[in-house]
Amino acid sequence: MEEMIKALPQHTNSWSKGKMIMYKYQDFWSIKHLIEGAILAQQSFKAEPSDVFLCSAPKTGTTWLKSLSFAILTREKFDESTTPLLTKFAHECVPLLENSHVVEHENIRKNLSLPLISTHLPYASLPESVISSNCKIVYIYRNIKDVIVSQYHFGREALKLSMEDAPFEEAFNDFCKGVSGYGPYWDHVLGYWKASLERPEKILLLKYEDLKSEPKSNVKRLADFIGSPFSVDEEKAGVVDNIIKFCGFENMSKLEVNKTGKINGSLFENRFYYRKGKVGDWMNYLTNEMKEKIDKLTDEKFDGTSLLL
Ligand code: A3P
């Protein structure tokens, strides 16, 4: 494995002061341990038809989607005052497939309290059995400019670099070249988008901005899709609203587990996953020139699709 990874194309992100090395495996970029996990998952993970995959590129709303899906599927057992989400990080409630090592792949199913598994892998790199088992897939995506800013801060915080030490412009340029977490980001979105056209009954696309502006209709779509629709009585009793409120940024970012917790052995503190949770924060970071550059690239990549980022 070590030799195989070493032979892959490499890129040292200049903004990271040489601290972040990315490798290109298949058609995406990521860091070493996640590529190792991806290879192991492709070799050994056996999906079951009842599995529901929560898929996303990093920083597009993965944590939010996990909390919502978990709260939806466990609502008969728990409410807002008893849910495990009060004390357990969303990424522990729903594991990341490629973060697990081989033994854990064998155990991942035993450890699942629900049939929810997440992954950042592009559609084309999913373990073969995810497709052949016809598993349901929920894919969340987000405005590219907000993803750039969010990935920048996440990486910077993990490496303990100040903004002065990690020039945003360099991170922006890497992202434009496609060297971003599981990037190129456009290809990531396009892969799932195309698949959703071919298999709409199995792949649901959600957009971060829509979830923000119209949470109720989108949370109901999510619940319908993952096989746990809200009844009329539940809706009347405020169950949907309560889940939206509980899983909202305001509430989640204030929970102790999300303010001070950290998964054992992880580089990333839980709080890094709750930064601002806003639409349009990119305006505070991108110059007009950067905006034009990324919009032009996006127009070119998404030409002929109905996708807007
Ligand atoms: P920002 O850095 O723009 O604040 P991911 O979960 O895919 O890693 O994405 C993290 C991004 O989602 C961060 O964006 C984070 O603040 C935001 N986020 C996390 N929880 C959220 C929530 N409940 N509602 C809205 N945004 C949330």
Side-chain angles (χ1 to χ4, degrees):
M1 178 79 83
E2 195 70 26
E3 289 306 307
M4 183 179 165
I5 306 250
K6 268 198 205 142
L8 295 173
Q10 284 184 30
H11 177 91
T12 305
N13 293 76
S14 58
W15 62 269
S16 73
K17 297 275 168 292
K19 289 184 177 182
M20 190 190 287
I21 303 172
M22 297 186 91
Y23 297 84
K24 192 176 195 186
Y25 171 63
Q26 298 184 336
D27 287 322
F28 69 92
W29 290 94
S30 192
I31 53 176
K32 186 165 171 268
H33 91 272
L34 293 174
I35 298 219
E36 283 170 357
I39 296 170
L40 293 174
Q42 290 173 341
Q43 288 171 348
S44 67
F45 179 73
K46 295 275 170 288
E48 288 187 2
S50 55
D51 291 339
V52 176
F53 279 81
L54 305 181
C55 304
S56 59
K59 306 303 125 201
T60 58
T62 319
T63 317
W64 192 13
L65 177 63
K66 287 186 185 191
S67 316
L68 285 168
S69 307
F70 185 88
I72 290 169
L73 291 184
T74 57
R75 68 185 185 275
E76 283 190 1
K77 225 162 140 191
F78 306 113
D79 64 16
E80 291 68 40
S81 62
T82 54
T83 174
L85 287 165
L86 285 166
T87 50
K88 212 171 163 190
F89 186 37
H91 292 271
E92 286 186 277
C93 294
V94 182
L96 183 77
L97 177 66
E98 64 273 22
N99 211 5
S100 325
H101 290 295
V102 82
V103 183
E104 285 158 332
H105 280 144
E106 284 155 20
N107 286 334
I108 200 167
R109 192 164 308 287
K110 274 189 237 150
N111 290 334
L112 286 180
S113 57
L114 297 169
L116 295 173
I117 304 174
S118 88
T119 181
H120 289 314
L121 290 173
Y123 186 77
S125 294
L126 289 172
E128 198 276 320
S129 60
V130 178
I131 313 294
S132 60
S133 301
N134 215 8
C135 299
K136 284 186 185 171
I137 291 175
V138 182
Y139 182 69
I140 188 159
Y141 66 108
R142 183 183 189 188
N143 176 283
I144 191 165
K145 297 189 277 290
D146 280 337
V147 176
I148 297 176
V149 171
S150 188
Q151 282 202 13
Y152 163 70
H153 285 296
F154 189 78
R156 189 180 65 66
E157 293 263 23
L159 297 173
K160 302 195 184 340
L161 293 170
S162 67
M163 284 188 65
E164 289 71 39
D165 288 339
F168 174 71
E169 196 174 353
E170 291 177 16
F172 174 85
N173 288 334
D174 279 341
F175 199 103
C176 289
K177 287 185 205 136
V179 190
S180 59
Y182 295 79
Y185 181 59
W186 305 276
D187 298 353
H188 205 284
V189 179
L190 280 169
Y192 282 93
W193 175 75
K194 281 186 191 144
S196 78
L197 296 181
E198 286 156 18
R199 304 193 299 132
E201 70 297 345
K202 289 291 175 184
I203 303 176
L204 173 72
L205 257 51
L206 290 176
K207 200 170 174 189
Y208 180 96
E209 291 75 17
D210 295 343
L211 208 45
K212 272 268 178 198
S213 61
E214 287 176 43
K216 200 155 182 176
S217 59
N218 282 294
V219 167
K220 280 163 62 183
R221 276 174 79 206
L222 174 62
D224 288 346
F225 183 79
I226 61 181
S228 188
F230 293 101
S231 67
V232 176
D233 286 347
E234 280 186 307
E235 226 184 303
K236 275 194 200 144
V239 176
V240 190
D241 295 325
N242 289 345
I243 287 180
I244 291 169
K245 199 163 170 211
F246 181 85
C247 295
F249 186 86
E250 273 271 301
N251 181 58
M252 294 301 277
S253 60
K254 283 192 195 130
L255 297 177
E256 203 53 39
V257 60
N258 296 329
K259 281 200 302 195
T260 57
K262 185 169 181 278
I263 293 187
N264 254 350
S266 171
L267 268 180
F268 313 117
E269 294 174 40
N270 299 357
R271 67 185 172 90
F272 299 166
Y273 292 83
Y274 295 94
R275 192 183 62 93
K276 278 195 185 171
K278 294 234 156 69
V279 171
D281 189 39
W282 64 267
M283 288 178 212
N284 297 315
Y285 295 89
L286 271 70
T287 61
N288 273 340
E289 205 181 312
M290 289 173 172
K291 177 196 176 297
E292 275 165 29
K293 179 174 173 180
I294 197 80
D295 283 349
K296 188 165 173 280
L297 278 170
T298 304
D299 286 348
E300 284 166 14
K301 302 264 189 189
F302 285 2
D303 187 30
T305 76
S306 56
L307 283 165
L308 290 173
L309 280 185

